[in-house]
Structures are given as structure tokens and as C-alpha cells.
Amino acid sequence: MTTYNHNVKLTVVASTVSLVLFGLVGCNSDSDDNQTTKDNAYYQAKAKAIIAKMSSDEKMNMLIGPGYDMSTFTINSAAVANLKSSVDGAAGYISGVLNSDAGVDVAAAVLADGPAGIRISATRENESGTFYATGFPVGTLLASTWNVALAQQVGAAAGNEAKEYGVDFWLAPGMNIQRNPLNGRNFEYYSEDPLVAGAIAAAVTAGSQSEGVATTIKHYAANNSETNRMNVDNIISPRALREIYLRGFQYAVETAQPWALMTSYNKLNGTYTSQRADLVTQVLRDEWGYEGLVMSDWFAGDDPVAQLKAGNDLIQPGGVNFANGGNYTDYLTRVKTAYSSGDLSDDVIDADATRILTQMLKTTTNQGVGGTNNPDLNAHAKISKQAAEEGMVLLKNNAALPISSGKKIASFGIAQINTLKGGTGSGDVHSAYVTSIADGLGKQFTLDATLKDYYETFFAANKQETTDAFGVSTIVTCAEAEVSAADITSYAANNDVAVITLGRNSGEGADRTNTAGDYQLTTLETELLTNVATAFHAQGKKVVVVLNVAGVIDTAWKDKVDAILLAYMPGQEAGDAVADLLSGVANPSGKLAQTFPANYTDVPSASSFNGIDSDSDGKVDTNYYNEGIYVGYRYYDTFDKAVSFPFGYGLSYTSFEYKDAQVSANTLNSKGATGSVTLTATISNTGSVTGKEAAQVYIAAPAGTVDKPAIELKAFAKTAALTAGASETLTFTIPAKWLASFDSANNQWIIDAGTYQAYVSPSSDVAAITPVTFSVSEKIVVSDTTAGALALPDGISTADFETTFSK
Ligand code: BGC
């Protein structure tokens, strides 16, 4: 059983154990380094002792990255102090310090992206070896596994690659809430729900940090669109922030203590997130107990002194910030000037530098571990494939799947050749290969050779290669190939089943659009679906659609076809994972971590996304989060909006029965804020093949101090692989803290008194589930929060912009 248990601390400093034993670089190591269990306090004490020996210039040098050459998209590694070994394609460095007079030798640290695997250059000048990294499934697909143990394995595999390639800080995972399907970076993120986002991020963090690599949860906070992302001001009520946009970060921090966190580009209620002390100090550190370092996103914000004072310890990538058209003085110079004038105190630079150094001392370079440049890519490919298979979601299956291996398949769609392993930008990975869907299918079925040849020839003749705006990804595009209705009829005659693969890319720096070719199908795609369905159905043959997409697309066409497999962007093993699921070698067990609405216009933020141009300068500058806490299923369920596929939904080739749901313990009344509710339910495989089931617990809270969504996900767990007839009893624990709602009027997390209904359900569609109940006799104040934190800008109140929805 893999279960997300809120009570289990995933802190893993202690499990870096043997890695820590050898050779803390330089003269700061002492016999204490041989202890096997070290917590943050141990490294903090070491850091403080080192900081006491450092000059103010050395400390400030650690706070600001080395600078960036925008013409070549490379980091100025020559400016990094005490760099032991540079890594081509790294996103940044943290300067170390070498001062033999003072007896200090701290090696610089290496920082590399990104959420689907370690993004470094695959080749290096004057070096014959290669440095490929495993392309794992994108974040959304990983979350759709609902399998925290598997997410932890992916984190450990990526962390191991970081370690072996000499990377100290992994700039992942991305865990912003998928507020709207058109956010260009949704593929990097996990879910519309903060529990899923937080639990998966915590697991990935635990995995990576078990390898001694710092994990950097990002982008804190409310980075939910890409349009004018470096300046847009997101106006969000404190309650929506607390319950939706910060909640996942809180889970990850309190459960796994990531060693690093990256603030976001956007402003929040009037101020850049990296410059808000309430966000990065009061809430993150004082309320949640965060121990790690905080770094800026690359070129974020406009005032390094304000960033450092707020508690954003590290500013990347340093040099000149181009946010103001490059019209800023070099950041290090600005910081040094502020220090000389007394505007920046020793207390601030000491606190920031201590937090940075504390984490640097834990990581690979300063521990003298890893660095073989030879990770086990074959083992990691298997983990990538398993994650891809467990995350893909079977959305529809009208007796079309699985397809038995002897069958002849007519495989349509250019994305079967131009298969997308992931999105573009810093979330891309330089993997050694990507198995296309056509190649994967070809290993298990007989593909119509004429049709395959047609697509391959078309692709070779029409593909176009460009580089993304950041010089990071090579983007290969190709128009959809047209197949005539007459040809489709003959393919229907000569084959047993049709598979149509539709593709949609997305990337950093731009949002998607609700237009044909993006959220909507093109005319050509619609014709392809219609003509294939007509011709194959006329012969009594099935049509299967595979969606190789970055995120939600329109599915109003779903009735035309017999089966839909949502493959998202599955990483380098794409084709083999799709083939395993279509053939039944693997049984689908992924479930949606995001809703597929009936129409884009049903999305509660559809009318406000992605902001307004309030000063009419041609750029979006303000983004009012009009839907408040009603994001995703919280909206659709509360206001009875029909959806195409609900949150939490996914089919299997077997069937499951949920039995004996019960509340096995309720200590909320005896223990209050430290109490919890525990539920159990037995899941039985009532079908004929082995399968896993992700069970979810949704809570309907009683009316009380604050209005609440009809249901909220409060726990989930996935069974082990259950053979036909086998059962497993799952246990779900919900601590008071995660049951609570935020009462803005009183700055408190509270649990209202009354009867709570708990639905143990296969999806967020709980209509047919009989709930079990538990009671809270008196209102519980779970915690007080910082008064005035995260406030709306002066003169704006929640009522000015939040919509009052009705059924
Ligand atoms: C992205 C971050 C990334 C950083 C370094 C930024 O543009 O927003 O997610 O980690 O670049 O590449």
C-alpha cells in the first residue's frame, strides 16, 4: 500500500547518512562530520562558525549569483568564487569562499533545473563523454499517479543524477496550482488541488534529498500564468492564498523540509513575492518553521536590497537585472553600496548568508560525494516508464481496450511521430532519446506500414526546428498530415483498430490560448476524428484516441470515439508506456489531478485569465483572482457545473468495489488542534485482471463561520497491485491542521463545530457514495496566523473583485 499519511515526516537529512561521512571540503571539517545523524541545526552551527570568519564582501558575494550573459544564455561561471567544477548547462551557481588566512574553504554550489529531470548540457566542448539525463514524465503526469512512493522514487532517481553530475541544488519541483487550463507552465505543475500538489512535492523532495541533493520547491507563490510574468500583479484574497495557493507549499515544507525554495516572478497584492517579508519570513519561516534557503527566480523583482531584507536570501542569477530594460546597476554593486551606506545591516547579510551556507554544507560538492558522471540511466529509465504508465489516465473505454497483440493498427496523427516527452523552457530535459508512440506501438502490434510510411515521410518533409525564447529547448513542430476520407476507408478495411494521436505543446514564457490548434481542435483534427470514426465504425471496428498533451484540451468530441488514453507528456519512454497500456501489459491506474471542464468558458477564472491591462500600455499588468477559493472541482462541485471528466477520475481494465468505509478514530474533540480523524475502507478488485486503485477522501464540512466548498479532498491513498479478487484495507488520517478552513476576519485556521461527511470515493464525483460521518462538538481554533499578512492592496477589498457564484 502506498498511502499519503499526513503524520509521516519525510525529512531526510538523517538518511544522507553514509554520504556525509567523507571529506567535508576544506578546513572546516572536524571529527563531528563522522556522525551519522545530522539535522539542520548541526549544519547551521557549522555555517555560523564559518560566517564569523568571513568578510562582508565574501558574504555578499554568496548572496548574489555570478551574472548571466544574455547573448549566449550562459552563466558567468568565471565570476563564481571557489568553483571546484563547473557543469555545462547549469542554471546558476552560488559562490563559495576560499580564504586560507581565515581557514575557510567552502566550495561553490551548482544549480540546475528542472521538474522533469536534471537539465544540463548533454555534451561538453573538448570532452568525449555524454551527460544525458533521464526525461521523466512532466509534473502533471507524475501527480496523476496518486502514488507518493513512486513520486519519491522519481525524486530519488533525479536526485541521484544531480549528484553524479555534480549538481548541488535541483531547481524542482514546480508546484503552483493549476488555476486555469491555459497557464503555459501547467505541465510542470501537479494539480488544481493543494493536497495533491503538496503531497507529491513532499515525496519528490524526500527522494531527491535522500541523495544529498537540495530540492527547490517553486515558484512561491501564485505564479499561475506566464503572460507578463515578471511584472504581473496577482490580486488574491488572503483566504484564497492560504487555502489554495500557499497550502501545497505549506504541506511540502512541513512534511519534507526542502532545503531550498524559489520565490516567483509575479507581484502579489502589489509587491514582488521576493520582496515580501510577510510571505518569505512571517508565513514561511515563523508560521511554518521553514529551515531552508530562499532564492529568487531568475531576474525576478527589482530591488535586491528589499529582497535580502525580506528574507529572500539568494538572488539569481546576479549581474544586471534586465527587468527594467537592463537599466539597473549590477546587483552586487547595489548591495555593496547599500551595505556601505548602512541601509543593509550586518544582521541581514549574516542571516541570509547563514541560511545559504547551512544548505550548501549539506549538498554534494561540499560533502565530496557523487560526481562520477555515470548515473545508472538504464535503472532510471525503468522508473520513468513506470511513472508514465501509472500516471496516464484512461478517460474512456467502450470495450475498445486493451487491444490484443496480434491486431493490426492503423495509427493516425503526426504526434505519433513527433511525440512530445515534455514541455519547453527550463522544464525541458536533454535525454538520450524519446521513444515515439509509433515506435512503441510498432514493438507490440502490427502497424499499417503504408500509413506509417506516409506520416514519416510527411514529418521529414515538413518538420521545423526552432529554439525557444530562452535558448533552452529545441522545439520541433510539424503540421498535422491530411489523410483523405477515401484512404481512411481503405485503412479501415485493412486494419482491426484505429489509434489517433493528438499532440499539444506548451512552454515557459507564454500562456496557451482557447483557439484551434491549442485548447480547441483544428478543423483538420476534427475531420480526422470524424472520418476515422465513420469509416472504422462502419466496419464494426474501434477508434482509440491518445492525447499527448501538455494539459487540458477540449473534449467535446469524446462521443465520436471508443476509447481515450490521456498520456500527457510522458517523458523519454513515451511510446513504450503508451503501448503497454493499450496492449494491457500494464493496467491504467492514473487519475486526473485536474478537471476537464465541459467547455473552457465554464472555468471559473475564464473571464479573468490572464489579467487586464489597467494602464492601457499594451501589457497585462493586473490579474484579479475573481473565483477566490473556488478553483477546479471546488467550483464545479459546489455550483453543480457539469464537467467532461471530473477531478480524481480514471478508468481501469478491472473494477473495484469500495466496502466498509468507517471512521475508525476521532480525537478532534479530545485533542483539539492536535487531534485527527482516521478513516478506513476496503478496496476489492472485483474484475479479472490485476490493478491498482487510487482512493480519495472528500469532506463535506458543516456550514459555520466561513462558507466552504461542497467537498474538499483531505486524504488519498493508492492500493498495491491487487490481483483479481484481492482486497486491501486503506487507512486515511486527517490531522486537524489539514481539515481546517481559514477565517480571514480573525486570522485563524478553524474547524467549525458540526457533523462532517466523509466520502471515500474513486473520484470527486461523490454523488453515488454514501458518506460516513464524524462530529466536532465545539469550534476548534487550530492556529493563529500573522495579523495583516498577505493583505490586499490599500483600497481593494475582496468584495471588489471576487465573484459571488450561484448554482
Ligand atoms: C524559471 C525557473 C527556473 C530558472 C532557472 C526561470 O526562468 O522560471 O523555473 O528554475 O529560470 O533556469
Side-chain angles (χ1 to χ4, degrees), residues 268-284:
L268 176 62
N269 293 341
T271 307
Y272 288 108
T273 56
S274 55
Q275 296 170 198
R276 290 195 73 113
D278 57 358
L279 190 67
V280 294
T281 296
Q282 290 169 336
V283 172
L284 177 67

Side-chain angles (χ1 to χ4, degrees), residues 68 75 89-92 111-115 119 170-172 174 185 188-189 216 218-219 223 226 229-230 262-265 295-299 316-317 322 425-427 470 472 508-509:
Y68 198 75
I75 285 284
L111 283 50
D113 287 304
R119 185 174 66 80
W170 182 29
L171 305 177
R185 291 184 88 173
E188 294 185 54
Y189 304 147
T216 312
K218 66 186 186 183
H219 310 86
N223 186 173
E226 288 293 285
R229 64 178 177 161
M230 302 190 76
M262 188 189 293
T263 46
S264 57
Y265 281 128
M295 73 176 78
S296 72
D297 199 347
W298 270 230
F299 305 103
Q316 287 292 352
F322 72 93
S426 62
F470 307 97
V472 161
E508 182 177 350

Side-chain angles (χ1 to χ4, degrees), residues 91-401:
Y93 293 91
I94 309 173
S95 273
V97 53
L98 178 60
N99 183 340
S100 38
D101 290 346
V104 179
D105 181 358
V106 175
V110 181
L111 283 50
D113 287 304
I118 307 305
R119 185 174 66 80
I120 56 172
S121 302
T123 53
R124 295 182 189 168
E125 242 175 77
N126 306 324
E127 284 196 48
S128 56
T130 54
F131 305 84
Y132 289 112
T134 303
F136 293 99
V138 295
T140 311
L141 183 49
L142 187 61
S144 311
T145 64
W146 296 71
N147 185 338
V148 289
L150 186 53
Q152 186 160 344
Q153 268 185 284
V154 168
N160 178 266
E161 289 181 22
K163 179 176 83 180
E164 297 306 345
Y165 284 134
V167 171
D168 300 285
F169 286 75
W170 182 29
L171 305 177
M175 53 177 302
N176 292 97
I177 291 296
Q178 294 167 340
R179 172 185 178 230
N180 181 293
L182 300 184
N183 175 24
R185 291 184 88 173
N186 270 354
F187 68 92
E188 294 185 54
Y189 304 147
Y190 294 133
S191 179
E192 69 190 28
D193 179 83
L195 173 63
V196 177
I200 300 291
V204 169
T205 300
S208 155
Q209 291 184 176
S210 72
E211 290 285 327
V213 170
T215 309
T216 312
I217 56 173
K218 66 186 186 183
H219 310 86
Y220 182 71
N223 186 173
N224 311 105
S225 57
E226 288 293 285
T227 302
N228 195 15
R229 64 178 177 161
M230 302 190 76
N231 287 298
V232 73
D233 188 6
N234 293 336
I235 309 294
I236 312 174
S237 72
R239 180 173 178 204
L241 273 170
R242 294 274 189 177
E243 289 195 8
I244 306 294
Y245 298 100
L246 302 188
R247 201 63 158 155
F249 285 98
Q250 185 183 0
Y251 271 101
V253 164
E254 295 190 0
T255 315
Q257 275 293 354
W259 297 349
L261 170 146
M262 188 189 293
T263 46
S264 57
Y265 281 128
N266 52 286
K267 291 176 190 161
L268 176 62
N269 293 341
T271 307
Y272 288 108
T273 56
S274 55
Q275 296 170 198
R276 290 195 73 113
D278 57 358
L279 190 67
V280 294
T281 296
Q282 290 169 336
V283 172
L284 177 67
R285 293 188 165 110
D286 300 346
E287 290 184 20
W288 303 349
Y290 179 60
E291 296 174 341
L293 72 81
V294 174
M295 73 176 78
S296 72
D297 199 347
W298 270 230
F299 305 103
D302 63 355
D303 184 346
V305 178
Q307 288 175 320
L308 296 177
K309 284 182 180 173
N312 188 112
D313 313 302
L314 172 66
I315 298 172
Q316 287 292 352
V320 175
N321 189 325
F322 72 93
N324 186 26
N327 277 336
Y328 288 119
T329 312
D330 172 79
Y331 262 29
L332 187 54
T333 310
R334 285 179 75 181
V335 166
K336 285 185 173 171
T337 306
Y339 181 70
S340 312
S341 74
D343 184 26
L344 193 59
S345 66
D346 279 308
D347 283 355
V348 170
I349 63 169
D350 282 1
D352 290 331
T354 303
R355 288 191 289 248
I356 295 172
L357 188 53
T358 301
Q359 308 313 319
M360 283 171 80
L361 293 176
K362 295 176 186 173
T363 63
T364 59
T365 305
N366 275 298
Q367 294 285 336
V369 296
T372 62
N373 282 327
N374 191 23
D376 189 345
L377 295 179
N378 290 332
H380 299 169
K382 289 191 182 118
I383 295 171
S384 178
K385 180 162 172 258
Q386 193 193 339
E389 290 181 359
E390 272 216 26
M392 290 183 192
V393 184
L394 184 60
L395 293 177
K396 176 173 183 178
N397 188 14
N398 183 12
L401 297 174

Side-chain angles (χ1 to χ4, degrees), residues 794-807:
D794 282 349
I796 299 180
S797 72
T798 308
D800 293 335
F801 65 93
E802 280 194 0
T803 310
T804 306
F805 296 110
S806 52
K807 290 193 183 189

